[in-house]
Amino acid sequence: MSLERLNRHQRPIAKRIIVRGRLILDTPTCLGSGDADSPTDLALLRDSISDHALLTGSSIAGALRNYLREYEQGYGKEEKKTDRATSLFGGTRRNTSLFGGTRRNDDGEQSPLIVNDAISSKIPTVELRDGVEIEGTTGTAKKGQKYDLELLAAGTEFSLCFELLIEQKQDPREQQNYEDRLVKSLALALRGLELGEISIGMKKRRGFGRCKVKTWQVWEFDLTQNEKRSKWLLFEHWCTELSPEHETYSSIATALGLSLDEEEDKRDRFFLEATFKLASPLLIRSGQDSTGCAPDVVHLRSHRDGELKPVLSGTSLAGVLRHRAERIVNTLNQSEKMAQKIVNDVFGFVDENSKQAKASRLVVHESVIENTADLVQNRIAIDRFTGGAYHGALFSEQPIFGSDETRLTLELELRQPRKAEIGLLLLLLKDLWTSDLPVGGESSIGRGRLQGIEATMKRQIPGKATQTWKISQDGEHLQVSDANTLEAFVSNFVGR
């Protein structure tokens, strides 16, 4: 082998920064292992030694890299081969400088950030969720499209550990600029975890994988100094837990001694947060009898704060919204092709024939339903020919019932919104608000209807002040702030 091929680029390291944090899951999370022999369609990824849940460093790095790219460039921007980290004063992409070159760039720089695998603090509580694809025209389940998932329960904790390697440059001014930009890029990426804006695992846009880091610790080692170099060599690198003897911070910017602003945020987003109460019983079937009770069908529950609470899943709500959106665009005499395009642009699609796919731009979060009551109802199937009861067809169900104190908050986020798409979301909100659009199952017997209480909408446009609108129900009267602007969004959708 020639000496030229053996001549590799060596990185003289001037400083190392170690960051630790404690990640807590806010919603169930799907970290699939890809095990084809599992009894479920998608089994949980576990550590082979301890049987604890495993969150790989590559998954963490990918989520951080994607967040940093969207934060700096906006949604829908792909990484280019020319996005290199060679320029230190200006056009450097933060995601490239922090995480290295793209896979398509054979000459790309190596990542200066080391991301460790994270193992859950204890053997996790596991939830099983069933899913099924619904045929839009018939409203029934597609044959062979039922699946089940193994999920980590909310509240599961992971210990995160990062190590940033800062190279030694020849020019002192260049060194300071390079170090400041690299550390700030790391702070921006980790702040996404701190604010809960980064989700992990599968089905992130349907409410799964929401997480947050509340505690940080930082160690800084200047390797040009003998004392600091010795401390780094004696540091407990094998441990990723927070140290009880080291200072903790709630803000990563404070921990790194930085001041972060929002000027670089290029994400264009529309938020909708609406609070409802139950106008009728609600039943979303759980995949298994999670409560250990006798009823054949029990409403879906999820672990929150150490107890099982009823939830409205993001997958169920997204399916309901998509089906109603199709009805709305078809009612407005849109051509079938145009109507399908509008819905696909917002909710995403997968075409098995053409092998094309597009991710949803609408993020639908999972919602906890507070202050509910459980009652068991017995039902029986009727023979339509005789009008009598089917033999052996007696079954029991346990939906949830609401009261005046029952509250359910729906959270939606539309990325890269167009005015017409915001108008479509407002029409969907109107149908939910007036109990015209039921959620969950057995809507034909009056279940799943909501009644609106209040809603807040925000439009975040890069470089502009955030716009806010509010809607509230005051008895029989509806209070709307800046109704003309909201009506203009709907008119834009109707007139397209």
Side-chain angles (χ1 to χ4, degrees), residues 269-272 456-460 466-469:
R269 301 181 287 176
F270 176 79
F271 298 94
L272 192 157
T456 301
M457 291 152 286
K458 295 181 180 181
R459 177 71 191 277
Q460 176 184 312
T466 300
Q467 298 175 279
T468 303
W469 303 273

Side-chain angles (χ1 to χ4, degrees), residues 228-266:
K228 293 293 184 67
R229 186 162 56 245
S230 298
K231 287 185 177 180
W232 179 80
L233 292 172
L234 297 174
F235 188 77
E236 296 180 346
H237 299 279
W238 57 88
C239 178
T240 59
E241 299 284 343
L242 296 178
S243 173
E245 301 175 355
H246 197 70
E247 186 175 3
T248 60
Y249 301 87
S250 59
S251 168
I252 186 61
T254 303
L256 292 172
L258 299 175
S259 176
L260 301 179
D261 51 48
E262 301 292 340
E263 294 181 1
E264 297 184 36
D265 193 350
K266 303 300 183 194

Side-chain angles (χ1 to χ4, degrees), residues 283-397:
L283 179 62
I284 300 177
R285 297 171 182 262
S286 58
Q288 72 287 340
D289 191 3
S290 57
T291 61
C293 296
D296 299 291
V297 181
V298 180
H299 181 83
L300 178 65
R301 282 170 166 76
S302 180
H303 288 271
R304 296 290 192 280
D305 301 326
E307 60 180 307
L308 286 171
K309 293 186 177 181
V311 296
L312 172 57
S313 62
T315 53
S316 178
L317 178 59
V320 168
L321 294 178
R322 182 183 187 120
H323 184 252
R324 178 53 61 94
E326 290 176 347
R327 288 188 58 184
I328 290 175
V329 295
N330 289 330
T331 303
L332 294 174
N333 297 321
Q334 299 277 7
S335 66
E336 182 177 352
K337 184 177 180 181
M338 179 61 70
Q340 196 63 41
K341 182 180 184 302
I342 297 172
V343 175
N344 287 343
D345 282 346
V346 175
F347 292 91
F349 70 94
V350 176
D351 191 338
E352 296 181 355
N353 296 326
S354 62
K355 295 184 179 180
Q356 293 182 341
K358 180 180 180 180
S360 171
R361 289 192 288 115
L362 180 66
V363 181
V364 184
H365 295 298
E366 184 167 288
S367 305
V368 176
I369 309 173
E370 302 288 353
N371 302 320
T372 62
D374 299 324
L375 295 176
V376 178
Q377 292 182 329
N378 295 318
R379 299 180 60 199
I380 193 168
I382 300 298
D383 188 332
R384 295 185 181 181
F385 180 72
T386 64
Y390 269 119
H391 179 70
L394 176 67
F395 61 96
S396 58
E397 297 176 332

Side-chain angles (χ1 to χ4, degrees), residues 3-42:
L3 293 177
E4 182 180 353
R5 297 186 65 181
L6 287 173
N7 184 19
R8 300 175 179 176
H9 172 63
Q10 302 296 327
R11 297 192 297 175
I13 307 301
K15 184 180 294 186
R16 289 176 180 263
I17 299 177
I18 296 177
V19 179
R20 291 178 182 174
R22 181 168 295 161
L23 180 76
I24 304 175
L25 300 183
D26 292 331
T27 62
T29 302
C30 182
L31 302 176
S33 64
D35 184 5
D37 298 327
S38 170
T40 59
D41 294 312
L42 194 61

Side-chain angles (χ1 to χ4, degrees), residues 51-228:
D51 205 36
H52 290 205
L54 175 62
L55 175 58
T56 62
S58 57
S59 296
I60 301 171
L64 293 176
R65 180 176 192 142
N66 183 65
Y67 172 81
L68 201 56
R69 174 179 54 80
E70 291 177 341
Y71 186 90
E72 186 181 23
Q73 304 178 45
Y75 294 115
K77 301 292 184 180
E78 294 185 1
E79 288 187 328
K80 300 179 181 179
K81 185 177 180 180
T82 54
D83 288 347
R84 302 185 61 177
T86 54
S87 171
L88 301 176
F89 301 94
T92 314
R93 297 295 188 190
R94 291 192 181 276
N95 60 312
T96 307
S97 62
L98 187 60
F99 293 98
T102 65
R103 291 185 177 182
R104 292 173 291 179
N105 187 2
D106 296 334
D107 298 326
E109 296 290 330
Q110 182 180 358
S111 170
L113 182 66
I114 299 174
V115 185
N116 291 5
D117 288 345
I119 298 177
S120 62
S121 57
K122 59 182 180 180
I123 297 178
T125 303
V126 177
E127 295 184 14
L128 294 179
R129 291 282 183 95
D130 280 0
V132 66
E133 185 176 355
I134 302 297
E135 180 65 51
T137 55
T138 64
T140 58
K142 285 186 178 181
K143 185 177 181 180
Q145 296 302 313
K146 183 180 181 299
Y147 59 91
D148 51 5
L149 306 174
E150 196 175 18
L151 306 176
L152 283 174
T156 305
E157 297 185 6
F158 292 88
S159 294
L160 303 183
C161 185
F162 308 89
E163 186 168 358
L164 182 64
L165 282 60
I166 300 176
E167 295 184 35
Q168 179 69 55
K169 303 297 180 181
Q170 298 295 330
D171 185 356
R173 188 174 68 91
E174 180 182 359
Q175 175 70 33
Q176 189 61 46
N177 188 303
Y178 164 76
E179 181 178 334
D180 292 345
R181 183 170 180 81
L182 206 57
V183 174
K184 186 175 181 180
S185 298
L186 176 63
L188 286 172
L190 297 184
R191 189 178 64 168
L193 290 173
E194 180 182 304
L195 298 176
E197 295 185 342
I198 299 178
S199 300
I200 57 177
M202 293 182 58
K203 293 186 176 292
K204 296 184 288 290
R205 304 191 183 187
R206 293 297 177 260
F208 292 154
R210 297 186 71 180
C211 56
K212 186 175 293 185
V213 176
K214 298 182 179 180
T215 307
W216 300 101
Q217 289 184 337
V218 175
W219 292 263
E220 186 173 319
F221 302 95
D222 187 350
L223 302 186
T224 61
Q225 302 178 15
N226 291 334
E227 182 181 354
K228 293 293 184 67

